[in-house]
C-alpha cells in the first residue's frame, strides 16, 4: 500500500544534510540562547504532485539563516553555504527517493534588534513514493 512519507522524516533529512555540509547547527526548534551563526529549518506543508505514473509529493520548507554582524558578508556567506549544501542528494528512508530539490530564493533579509541578521530562503522538495499500477 502507498504511504506518504511523514514531513518529520523529510525535515530530519534536510537538517542532517545542512549540518553535514555547512558545519553549522540547524534546528527545527531554536533553543534559548543558541549561539549564532545557525540555521533553522521549518516545514510549511506538503501537497500531492500530479503525475500519471508516479506517486509523489511536494514538501515546502523555509530555512532561516541567522548570523552576527552589521555587514552583509556573513549572511551572504551563510546563504551561499546553505544553497551549496542542498545541491547534494538528500538521503531518505528506504522506499522513498528525493527526485527534485528546488531553491525558491531568498525572500527577505532582516536586521534583528539584537544586532544579528536573519535571512529566509524557500525550498521545494519532491519525494517519489512509488509507481501507480492498475489492478
Amino acid at each position: 500500500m502507498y504511504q506518504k512519507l511523514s514531513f518529520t522524516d523529510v525535515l530530519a533529512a534536510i537538517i542532517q544534510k545542512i549540518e553535514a555540509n555547512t558545519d553549522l547547527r540547524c534546528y527545527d526548534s531554536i533553543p534559548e540562547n543558541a549561539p549564532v551563526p545557525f540555521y533553522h529549518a521549518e516545514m510549511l506543508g506538503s501537497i500531492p504532485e500530479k503525475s500519471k505514473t508516479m506517486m509523489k509529493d511536494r514538501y515546502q520548507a523555509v530555512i532561516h539563516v541567522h548570523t552576527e554582524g552589521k555587514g552583509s558578508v556573513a549572511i551572504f556567506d551563510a546563504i551561499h553555504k546553505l544553497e551549496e549544501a542542498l545541491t547534494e542528494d538528500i538521503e531518505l528512508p528506504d522506499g522513498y527517493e528525493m527526485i527534485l530539490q528546488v531553491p525558491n530564493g531568498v525572500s527577505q533579509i532582516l536586521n534583528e534588534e539584537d544586532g544579528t541578521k536573519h535571512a529566509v530562503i524557500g525550498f521545494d522538495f519532491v519525494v517519489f513514493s512509488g509507481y501507480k499500477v492498475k489492478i
Side-chain angles (χ1 to χ4, degrees), residues 7-9 15 24 37 43 47 66 93 95 99 103 112 114 119 127 130:
F7 77 91
T8 59
D9 291 326
I15 289 170
L24 292 177
M43 190 63 69
I47 54 175
H66 298 268
I99 59 173
E112 300 293 344
D114 63 359
V127 176

Side-chain angles (χ1 to χ4, degrees), residues 29-31 43 66 69 72 75 90 95 99 102 104 112 117 120 130:
S29 177
I30 304 169
M43 190 63 69
H66 298 268
S72 297
I75 195 80
I90 293 175
I99 59 173
V102 181
N104 295 323
E112 300 293 344
K117 286 201 178 269
V120 181

Side-chain angles (χ1 to χ4, degrees), residues 72-129:
S72 297
V73 173
I75 195 80
F76 291 162
D77 185 47
I79 291 168
H80 177 72
K81 284 181 182 179
L82 173 66
E83 290 174 336
E84 181 121 343
L86 293 178
T87 61
E88 290 185 11
D89 291 338
I90 293 175
E91 303 287 327
L92 296 175
D94 287 341
Y96 300 96
E97 182 180 346
M98 185 75 67
I99 59 173
L100 187 62
Q101 298 170 211
V102 181
N104 295 323
V106 177
S107 62
Q108 56 188 176
I109 297 177
L110 306 166
N111 292 311
E112 300 293 344
E113 291 179 13
D114 63 359
T116 62
K117 286 201 178 269
H118 172 193
V120 181
I121 306 166
F123 286 89
D124 284 356
F125 302 93
V126 177
V127 176
F128 166 77
S129 303

